[in-house]
Amino acid sequence: MSGSAESRVQLNLRVSEKVKSDFEDRVVEKYGSVHPHATTELEREFNLRLDDGPEGRLWSAVEDVADAHGMTPREKETQSFTRSDVDDPVTTVVSYYVNESLRERIMQFAKGDYSSAGEFVERVMRTYVDDDYGSLTERLVDRLERIESAGEK
């Protein structure tokens, strides 16, 4: 988790109930329980998307290696989702405790490209659940395997 010395606050952002449930199911599948793993996984994903922390630096390093092998850069999140409110109007609050400065960065970042910070959080959760993308770790392992394959050619 990022900066445990800083105070932690509830995220308190509204997302599709189904997306949150799917996210928590995926976390349970991987770790056996929701808490504290859901918070940790979500913070890692946020750090990646916000180009912050060790996750952001690791992604950049992997992309530098890919570039050295002549590979096209990959986006951290390439899947475009439409907001699920249309299909699933039932929403719920994501109230995990996160680093306070991380929550502030999420709120600022979301102002640029999203209709709300909840939409940004929902998109991050959906990417984590999606089998074609998965968690940060799964995406990095996939990228490194592709780099290794390219280097063997």
Side-chain angles (χ1 to χ4, degrees), residues 13-17 19 80-94 114-126:
L13 294 171
R14 197 161 275 288
V15 301
S16 158
E17 188 174 85
V19 170
S80 174
F81 296 107
T82 55
R83 186 81 197 260
S84 60
D85 286 351
V86 176
D87 301 324
D88 180 20
V90 179
T91 61
T92 189
V93 174
V94 176
Y114 300 91
S115 62
S116 70
E119 180 185 0
F120 169 65
V121 171
E122 183 175 309
R123 186 169 295 191
V124 168
M125 292 174 112
R126 288 183 74 171

Side-chain angles (χ1 to χ4, degrees), residues 26 29-30 41 45 59 74 127-146:
R26 181 69 175 255
E29 178 184 308
K30 289 176 73 173
E41 291 295 281
E45 296 295 326
W59 186 271
R74 280 186 73 184
T127 299
Y128 184 91
V129 170
D130 190 279
D131 288 333
D132 292 333
Y133 295 91
S135 71
L136 166 65
T137 304
E138 292 163 331
R139 292 191 310 271
L140 284 168
V141 167
D142 176 63
R143 187 64 167 157
L144 288 169
E145 286 172 350
R146 291 172 190 256

